[in-house]
Amino acid sequence: MGNFILKSDVPNKVLNIELEGSFSQEDGLRSISAYQDTIASINTKEYDLNIDCKKLNVTAPEIVPLLEGCLQLFKKDEYKKVVLTLENNAILKMQLSRLGRSVGLDNLEIISTVTT
């Protein structure tokens, strides 16, 4: 089961999202609905989007279209910058990089952290 936490940092104009686990179709749709509710009151063009994917598992093939749809949403919402933080997961990094390129999300930055 996938979990998500959305936190809007209004003074710093940052939307923080934390993702964890393996997302099903239902988890993904719930997270998109919560995301849309959260951004309704902010001007995303003035915000950075930081997504913590350190606890996110590699996306199952049947969920990839949903993930791609999320990246398209982020592009449409025109954030100043979209940053994904991963925990030294080469497969997930390649997957997210490829999807970001395929939707034309040019302001996407993927950061790999290593924890010991």
Side-chain angles (χ1 to χ4, degrees):
M1 181 168 159
N3 291 313
F4 59 91
I5 299 169
L6 299 160
K7 292 183 205 156
S8 185
D9 181 351
V10 177
N12 293 312
K13 296 196 184 249
V14 177
L15 177 61
N16 293 296
I17 301 176
E18 191 176 323
L19 302 174
E20 179 179 4
S22 298
F23 275 69
S24 66
Q25 190 79 18
E26 295 77 28
D27 295 332
L29 294 173
R30 279 189 307 114
S31 69
I32 290 169
S33 176
Y35 166 79
Q36 290 172 327
D37 291 346
T38 301
I39 67 163
S41 62
I42 65 174
N43 180 358
T44 54
K45 293 178 183 178
E46 298 176 357
Y47 274 65
D48 287 342
L49 175 62
N50 291 336
I51 306 174
D52 181 342
C53 304
K54 291 189 290 263
K55 296 178 184 170
L56 182 65
N57 297 333
V58 174
T59 303
E62 63 272 13
I63 304 300
V64 168
L66 190 64
L67 180 57
E68 188 172 10
C70 290
L71 294 175
Q72 287 171 334
L73 263 180
F74 302 153
K75 179 181 178 168
K76 178 186 72 68
D77 292 334
E78 299 180 15
Y79 288 93
K80 293 194 305 187
K81 184 168 56 170
V82 178
V83 179
L84 303 177
T85 305
L86 312 177
E87 187 172 291
N88 201 24
N89 186 332
I91 295 169
L92 187 58
K93 183 176 183 178
M94 287 183 343
Q95 189 176 48
L96 292 169
S97 296
R98 181 179 50 78
L99 289 172
R101 283 192 306 275
S102 77
V103 301
L105 189 58
D106 299 328
N107 60 344
L108 177 65
E109 180 182 346
I110 299 178
I111 299 169
S112 284
T113 62
V114 179
T115 57
T116 53

